[in-house]
Amino acid sequence: MLLESRRDVGVPELTARVVRASFPKGTLAIRVREALGPLFEDDSFAEAFPARGRPAVSPGALALVSVLQYAEGHTDRQAADQVRARMDWKFLLGLELDDPGFDFSVLSDFRARLIEHGLEEKVLDLILERVSGLGLLRSGGRQRTDSTHVLAAVRTLNRMEFVGETLRAALEALAAAAPDWLSPLVTAEWVKRYGARIDSYRFPKGENVRQEWAEQVGRDGFTVLEEAFAPDAPGWLREIPAVQVLRRAWVEQYHRDGEGVRWREAKDLPPGRRRLASPYDPDTRYGVKRGSGWCGYKTHLSETCEPDTPHMITHVVTTDATVGDAEVTEAVHQGLAARELLPDEHAVDAGYVTAAHVVSARDDHKIHLLGPVGLDTVHERHEGAHIAQSAFSVDWDGRKVTCPRGAASVSWSDQRKPGGTPITRVHFALQDCDPCPLRSQCTKAANGKYGRTLTLLPREQQQVLEQRRIEQQTEEWKARYDIRAGVEGTISQAVRRTGIRRTRYTGLPKTHLGNVLTATAINIIRLDAWLNDTPLGKTRISHPAALDPAA
């Protein structure tokens, strides 16, 4: 498919005259074109198209249609119909009124090309560059970040459903690709067991019977794998994606020994981050947050929050559902640095903040990371008053700690957590802690040679942690941190306008591209509102809360 760059020469005269007469107050598409002109040039996507082949549909137009598609919630087919039928879209794209548009399948091909050539972020980059050119976006200032769950485009399956559906998917693929090869393996029992979608309500009743069913599925799956990987089997069979998923799933869910095929116990399963959750989307994982579980992904949105400029989404990170917020903090800062949009202050919730993050944000990126750190957890083991870690005096150079009663530590040991984080363990002697009148408020240690034990982070991190714990109790800090709550409105807008909590596609790369298109669509909507002096929406509260005299 050859890219023939098409230079935008403006809106055709007839299109402009008819559209302005039909929409005197304009629409989103009309106002964006009039305020910003052509948004995406074909040359920006040139590397995604070869130098030879038939002429391609304008990639700049396809990028713009993809963004409008998310702004208005259309499917590919509906978006292609809008290009043919709507005058305001033709106005935005600079098309004649009789332009026939393109087939809807071109949009899917365009997204695949963006992913293949690493251009998923391109549309967002171009919009941010345009907004920067208008003087409405710059580095520094304040930004905020938060995440939301994204449901995968697959069902959530329990273990028995998962193994049954995984084998059924492999049989479906093999039956279509190599029916003559598969036919000798298929029995009447297999047709009965795997002929229809696997649902839990079809399972036999009783735990023992269900276990036997699961182990029978395991034996059937191993039969297919042994035949597919036999020396005389066609080599391409094992390259079928569904067969590869089957092989991986069976390693995770079953093991074989002298007694045959057995269902793995929960303690023998791989951790959730490494374990498949669906045979139809190998990238999706099952995650849990605050007691709620979902099968899918998480997306993290960062936005500016200055009062004198529109709130633009500046960065998007998409992960599987098991990745914690703290693992994304540095990735957000690196992404903003690459766009030259690092803030002076970055407001986040507690999930994104550790002492190490506060230090690295300050030292590596000159960012003040504004978010609450974890409190001293010693209180969880004590009822009533307790002596927190901050009450102890630490002599870092002398490698000693002194308790509030003046006793010195007897042990200082540099260690590492299983994840590699360096820590220091400090112990106090039991003979010092036993007679202490504050013992009940300090430690419950009863056996061994040590009394109270402290765990310290590296010196700089520990000092930052203690300082932040003090700061976040002040009213001044709380008032400054209030700005973080505004990002919830951005997530709400993305949910209502684009349906961001349910991905349209399978696979992490496609889901991330969809999230980037969502962010770009939100930015265009917000920029249009800003240029037309549309006020920000007010925070919605319930009717009873509105009656609160203290509000």
Side-chain angles (χ1 to χ4, degrees):
M1 185 175 288
L2 171 67
L3 174 62
E4 291 184 350
S5 182
R6 297 167 176 81
R7 186 170 178 270
D8 192 307
V9 295
V11 181
E13 181 181 355
L14 178 60
T15 303
R17 187 169 67 253
V18 172
V19 167
R20 289 193 175 104
S22 301
F23 302 97
K25 294 184 179 180
T27 66
L28 173 65
I30 296 170
R31 291 191 297 266
V32 167
R33 175 72 193 210
E34 291 181 331
L36 303 179
L39 288 176
F40 305 125
E41 300 292 339
D42 290 347
D43 291 343
S44 300
F45 306 93
E47 61 186 280
F49 294 83
R52 301 173 62 184
R54 62 184 177 84
V57 176
S58 167
L62 292 177
L64 190 50
V65 170
S66 297
V67 173
L68 286 175
Q69 176 183 1
Y70 272 80
E72 299 190 7
H74 297 306
T75 64
D76 286 356
R77 190 184 295 273
Q78 290 170 338
D81 287 343
Q82 303 305 308
V83 175
R84 281 188 290 272
R86 284 180 52 177
M87 293 185 294
D88 59 337
W89 279 41
K90 291 182 183 292
F91 183 91
L92 175 60
L93 296 169
L95 301 177
E96 298 285 355
L97 291 177
D98 59 353
D99 191 289
F102 50 80
D103 186 79
F104 74 94
S105 62
V106 175
L107 289 170
S108 177
D109 178 70
F110 176 67
R111 291 192 298 269
R113 288 177 180 274
L114 292 182
I115 293 171
E116 181 182 355
H117 292 84
L119 298 176
E120 300 98 317
E121 307 277 342
K122 196 67 177 180
V123 290
L124 181 58
D125 288 338
L126 293 172
I127 285 294
L128 294 178
E129 288 175 8
R130 182 63 62 86
V131 178
S132 296
L134 295 175
L136 299 176
L137 181 63
R138 57 188 179 274
S139 62
R142 309 179 77 186
Q143 293 192 35
R144 53 197 177 196
T145 297
D146 204 1
S147 66
T148 187
H149 63 274
V150 179
L151 300 181
V154 294
R155 287 192 300 146
T156 300
L157 305 172
N158 61 40
R159 280 186 71 190
M160 291 183 65
E161 289 176 320
F162 170 71
V163 295
E165 195 63 22
T166 299
L167 180 52
R168 192 183 77 84
L171 293 175
E172 287 276 359
L174 289 168
D180 295 337
W181 177 87
L182 182 63
S183 181
L185 296 179
V186 177
T187 65
E189 284 297 316
W190 279 30
V191 173
K192 180 179 178 181
R193 194 176 298 129
Y194 310 115
R197 189 177 73 173
I198 307 297
D199 282 309
S200 59
Y201 70 84
R202 293 198 182 102
F203 291 155
K205 306 302 180 184
E207 287 300 319
N208 291 337
V209 181
R210 290 191 171 203
Q211 173 125 359
E212 291 175 4
W213 185 92
E215 291 176 350
Q216 181 60 57
V217 172
R219 288 189 289 272
D220 295 342
F222 279 119
T223 298
V224 173
L225 290 172
E226 287 171 352
E227 292 296 326
F229 284 84
D232 58 341
W236 55 267
L237 285 179
R238 63 201 66 166
E239 301 300 325
I240 296 175
V243 175
Q244 294 178 342
V245 170
L246 175 66
R247 184 185 187 187
R248 178 178 170 183
W250 256 232
V251 171
E252 295 174 354
Q253 300 291 338
Y254 295 99
H255 62 82
R256 289 193 291 183
D257 53 24
E259 300 178 4
V261 176
R262 291 193 296 170
W263 191 240
R264 286 190 183 274
E265 300 294 334
K267 62 181 180 181
D268 295 328
L269 291 170
R273 181 168 299 187
R274 295 171 49 198
R275 190 166 70 244
L276 294 174
S278 169
Y280 303 109
D281 187 351
D283 291 339
T284 192
R285 295 292 182 270
Y286 186 80
V288 178
K289 186 174 183 179
R290 299 191 186 97
S292 299
W294 77 99
C295 184
Y297 305 93
K298 287 175 71 176
T299 185
H300 305 257
L301 302 178
S302 302
E303 67 168 358
T304 60
C305 49
E306 294 296 318
D308 58 342
T309 58
H311 297 169
M312 295 285 104
I313 297 176
T314 54
H315 192 59
V316 180
V317 177
T318 307
T319 68
D320 69 65
T322 64
V323 176
D325 293 348
E327 300 175 65
V328 178
T329 307
E330 180 59 25
V332 172
H333 291 162
Q334 290 178 357
L336 292 173
R339 288 193 170 105
E340 299 182 351
L341 290 174
L342 282 172
D344 294 327
E345 185 172 80
H346 188 194
V348 295
D349 67 25
Y352 292 90
V353 184
T354 66
H357 287 138
V358 175
V359 172
S360 63
R362 181 194 65 196
D363 295 346
D364 299 340
H365 303 290
K366 304 297 186 292
I367 295 175
H368 176 64
L369 187 61
L370 182 65
V373 298
L375 300 176
D376 188 347
T377 56
V378 69
H379 70 279
E380 295 178 356
R381 303 191 300 272
H382 292 270
E383 296 180 1
H386 67 279
I387 298 177
Q389 184 169 290
S390 58
F392 292 75
S393 300
V394 182
D395 180 2
W396 292 95
D397 296 327
R399 296 169 66 88
K400 288 284 184 180
V401 178
T402 305
C403 80
R405 295 282 297 178
S409 61
V410 296
S411 171
W412 178 292
S413 174
D414 294 328
Q415 303 176 13
R416 286 186 178 272
K417 290 183 178 181
T421 304
I423 57 172
T424 297
R425 300 282 190 193
V426 177
H427 301 282
F428 288 83
L430 191 61
Q431 56 265 34
D432 290 331
C433 294
D434 263 346
C436 179
L438 301 179
R439 172 185 171 82
S440 62
Q441 301 175 28
C442 186
T443 180
K444 292 186 176 182
N447 299 313
K449 62 179 180 179
Y450 295 125
R452 176 70 182 264
T453 298
L454 302 180
T455 300
L456 304 177
L457 295 171
R459 182 174 184 171
E460 193 172 20
Q461 295 181 25
Q462 187 67 35
Q463 291 172 343
V464 164
L465 181 65
E466 292 172 358
Q467 179 184 3
R468 179 60 60 86
R469 284 173 173 169
I470 295 172
E471 288 178 351
Q472 65 194 36
Q473 302 303 318
T474 65
E475 293 302 319
E476 180 183 356
W477 187 93
K478 293 176 182 177
R480 188 163 188 80
Y481 184 62
D482 282 346
I483 197 171
R484 189 217 66 85
V487 74
E488 304 288 353
T490 295
I491 292 176
S492 175
Q493 184 181 21
V495 171
R496 289 181 284 109
R497 290 298 297 258
T498 70
I500 196 173
R501 283 200 177 125
R502 187 179 296 275
T503 180
R504 302 182 179 192
Y505 317 114
T506 58
L508 182 60
K510 291 181 180 179
T511 297
H512 176 61
L513 176 57
N515 293 337
V516 170
L517 293 172
T518 288
T520 309
I522 295 297
N523 281 347
I524 287 178
I525 293 169
R526 289 183 169 185
L527 186 59
D528 172 61
W530 176 268
L531 295 174
N532 288 280
D533 297 322
T534 303
L536 294 176
K538 295 182 179 180
T539 301
R540 289 179 292 178
I541 60 175
S542 67
H543 293 296
L547 300 177
D548 184 0

